[in-house]
Amino acid sequence: MARRQRRTEEGDPENPGLQRPPPSEEEPHRYLCLVISFPGVILLGIAAALIIFLISLKSNNSEAIATSAPSPEDPFWFDISENLGGGGNNDDVALSFPTRQPTQNPTRITSSTFVEDDDRLSSSVTEPPILPLPQVNPPTLLPTPLLSEEAFFLEDAKNRFQEILESKSRGDFTVRDKDADSPQTKALNWLVRDPNLYSYSGDRVLQRWVLATFAFGMVSPSSENNVERGGAAGTIRSQEPPLSIPQAMQNWVRYTDECTRWYYTLGDDNGKTLCNSEGLYVRLDLRLQNLVGTLPSEIALLSNHLRYIHLFDNRLYGTVPSEFGLLTQLERLELTKNNLEGEVPTELGNLDRLRFLGLGQNSFSGPLPSEMGKLSRLNTIGLEWNRFTEIPSELGNMAETRILNMDHNDLRNGVPTTIGQLTKLEQLNLIFNRDLVGTMPDEVCDLDMDVLQADCDVLDCDCCTRCNHYD
């Protein structure tokens, strides 16, 4: 091998053609071209990129060291530990941090902060203690709820109604002190949602509320399991609030015309109108509808136009409100065959236009009020099947009375002679009153009556058309 190499360098004496030519002047340039060939270009590019990377890395490290200690004059710097509540619960950290001025002892983040196992590096920097800022709770303010458009409308409607109610009733009626489950409050909540509310007159607004109060106070017959009977004549007391409105009154809580679309009965008064020309009720007619509930005193608010109340043969219980004495236009009060109780209110003596009074077949008790003597236009009086105890002498002032039924009661102390002043009397029924003793006054016998009935065993009555005997 060495021989061959030497032979090449010195020439082959055996083969002169293989002798090495003399060196040329352009031979160094040939080697330079070889260096800058394609592989050389690649190597040079890699070297340049490596140099640039090292320079940029050194620059970034310098900037990190320069910024590791935040400047107190930087307005956007804040203490991280303070925003985390001084080491407290991180659940309260907000999504965006407010900018604030630096604290006295800011946290300095250095390279040794992230070293856990190297004691030499971790001990080279001593961190100042971080003191949490005192927690200051801002005062709690109760925000004023903003009313929605619907809530504002309802509140305005309630205020308008209250003004109407106070002006019409002179402050005697209110809804403010009623609980949410009362018929009055339910009726008001129904009324203020009426889309036609602002088109009604004040009297009609009041009327619709009164009628709705009556409807919401009734118990559907399907709720009889919530009703209890008691008493000689069957007193009914509700044990639970009404579950639903009776069938006859379901359309009473619809936003339709109460004069033409709400149910009512006319009975033998066919051809009579329900409302007057102003759309106000002249009669309240719901006879024989099996209504269960109490009479609302708010009916008295219809005093300017209501003339007839027909509630015969229902299951109304409770007492007759004394406010009924305000119904000065009333001509007929028909409450016969219900379950009403208590004493007859003396205020009924103010109904000077009353021509028919039907209180029979209930559970009324006590003496009849002497104020009834002021009912000078009263034509028919039905007081049978109750527990009345005494006939007041003032009944003799009812000059127009033709029919007076007081049978099946607990009357006592005899028959007043003033009954003989009822010159138009045609029928007087006093049977089944065991304690009504004595003698029938001659003034009564002198009346030309078609029917005079009494218990002749205890009340001596030679002029009676019919005598009841207990034997």
Side-chain angles (χ1 to χ4, degrees):
M1 181 73 178
R3 182 180 180 184
R4 184 182 299 175
Q5 184 176 3
R6 184 173 61 249
R7 183 180 296 178
T8 302
E9 293 177 353
E10 296 178 356
D12 190 356
E14 297 179 1
N15 294 305
L18 295 176
Q19 296 180 0
R20 183 179 180 183
S24 173
E25 297 178 355
E26 297 179 356
E27 187 172 358
H29 298 283
R30 182 167 60 86
Y31 285 103
L32 180 63
C33 293
L34 180 61
V35 172
I36 63 175
S37 62
F38 181 76
V41 172
I42 294 177
L43 294 175
L44 289 175
I46 294 174
L50 181 60
I51 293 172
I52 294 173
F53 173 75
L54 293 175
I55 293 173
S56 62
L57 181 61
K58 182 179 181 180
S59 176
N60 290 338
N61 290 337
S62 300
E63 292 177 1
I65 295 173
T67 59
S68 62
S71 173
E73 298 177 358
D74 186 1
F76 297 97
W77 178 87
F78 57 89
D79 188 356
I80 296 177
S81 64
E82 180 185 2
N83 279 277
L84 293 177
N89 188 358
N90 292 346
D91 294 339
D92 298 331
V93 178
L95 295 178
S96 60
F97 296 99
T99 60
R100 60 180 64 184
Q101 295 302 321
T103 60
Q104 285 291 61
N105 298 309
T107 301
R108 297 180 181 273
I109 303 176
T110 65
S111 60
S112 63
T113 306
F114 304 98
V115 177
E116 297 179 358
D117 299 328
D118 195 336
D119 296 335
R120 179 177 57 82
L121 291 177
S122 62
S123 61
S124 62
V125 178
T126 302
E127 295 292 334
I130 300 175
L131 299 178
L133 292 177
Q135 299 293 328
V136 179
N137 296 325
T140 303
L141 300 178
L142 296 177
T144 302
L146 297 178
L147 295 178
S148 64
E149 183 177 354
E150 180 183 6
F152 178 81
F153 172 82
L154 296 178
E155 190 66 23
D156 180 72
K158 289 182 179 180
N159 292 334
R160 178 178 182 245
F161 168 77
Q162 191 63 39
E163 292 176 359
I164 295 174
L165 179 60
E166 292 177 355
S167 64
K168 297 290 184 181
S169 67
R170 300 176 182 177
D172 293 335
F173 293 88
T174 184
V175 192
R176 300 185 191 277
D177 58 347
K178 304 295 183 181
D179 59 71
D181 292 330
S182 67
Q184 293 84 356
T185 302
K186 291 180 180 179
L188 178 59
N189 291 333
W190 168 83
L191 176 69
V192 296
R193 288 171 171 80
D194 191 337
N196 302 315
L197 179 63
Y198 285 88
S199 65
Y200 302 137
S201 64
D203 287 335
R204 282 198 66 188
V205 169
L206 200 60
Q207 172 176 272
R208 291 175 71 85
W209 176 71
V210 170
L211 298 177
T213 297
F214 188 18
F216 280 113
M218 295 294 107
V219 180
S220 173
S222 61
S223 308
E224 291 187 12
N225 58 323
N226 298 318
V227 178
E228 181 181 83
R229 274 189 188 273
T235 302
I236 296 180
R237 294 180 175 86
S238 175
Q239 302 300 316
E240 298 290 341
L243 299 180
S244 60
I245 296 176
Q247 180 70 29
M249 304 185 77
Q250 287 183 359
N251 59 2
W252 279 42
V253 289
R254 296 177 182 172
Y255 300 128
T256 54
D257 183 14
E258 67 269 31
C259 293
T260 59
R261 303 295 298 274
W262 291 14
Y263 179 81
Y264 61 94
T265 55
L266 288 178
D268 56 359
D269 295 328
N270 290 326
K272 305 287 185 176
T273 58
L274 184 68
C275 298
N276 60 19
S277 59
E278 297 177 355
L280 302 177
Y281 264 43
V282 174
R283 63 181 68 242
L284 179 60
D285 197 331
L286 283 172
R287 64 189 85 177
L288 296 112
Q289 295 303 315
N290 202 25
L291 302 180
V292 181
T294 61
L295 292 171
S297 59
E298 286 77 10
I299 291 179
L301 293 170
L302 309 180
S303 60
N304 290 337
H305 45 86
L306 190 63
R307 296 168 55 191
Y308 307 96
I309 293 180
H310 296 273
L311 296 174
F312 168 81
D313 199 358
N314 282 289
R315 299 171 63 188
L316 301 175
Y317 60 90
T319 61
V320 176
S322 60
E323 289 82 359
F324 273 32
L326 301 174
L327 296 169
T328 54
Q329 302 295 318
L330 203 62
E331 298 181 15
R332 186 181 184 104
L333 178 58
E334 175 64 278
L335 301 176
T336 304
K337 204 173 182 181
N338 279 283
N339 296 281
L340 300 169
E341 59 185 355
E343 296 186 1
V344 176
T346 60
E347 289 79 2
L348 293 188
N350 299 327
L351 307 180
D352 55 1
R353 295 192 178 188
L354 200 63
R355 294 186 292 108
F356 183 98
L357 177 61
L359 302 178
Q361 302 185 56
N362 282 283
S363 296
F364 292 113
S365 59
L368 289 168
S370 59
E371 287 78 4
M372 289 183 62
K374 299 187 295 183
L375 304 178
S376 58
R377 299 184 183 182
L378 201 54
N379 182 280
T380 302
I381 307 174
L383 304 173
E384 70 280 1
W385 287 91
N386 282 287
R387 301 171 185 171
F388 293 122
T389 59
E390 188 174 346
I391 304 175
S393 59
E394 287 80 3
L395 293 188
N397 298 327
M398 300 185 298
E400 297 295 324
T401 301
R402 297 179 180 273
I403 298 175
L404 177 57
N405 290 329
M406 303 184 68
D407 56 286
H408 294 84
N409 276 282
D410 297 329
L411 298 176
R412 58 180 65 95
N413 298 331
V415 179
T417 59
T418 54
I419 298 298
Q421 301 175 12
L422 303 178
T423 57
K424 296 183 178 181
L425 194 61
E426 300 175 358
Q427 176 177 318
L428 176 60
N429 191 348
L430 297 173
I431 62 172
F432 290 98
N433 284 282
R434 290 176 176 268
D435 296 326
L436 189 63
V437 297
T439 302
M440 185 68 69
D442 294 337
E443 292 83 354
V444 175
C445 289
D446 291 340
L447 296 175
D448 187 14
M449 289 186 287
D450 297 330
V451 177
L452 176 57
Q453 302 182 34
D455 297 327
C456 297
D457 290 345
V458 294
L459 182 64
D460 187 10
C461 182
D462 295 335
C463 58
C464 284
T465 60
R466 178 191 170 187
C467 285
N468 179 55
H469 298 280
Y470 294 109
D471 296 336

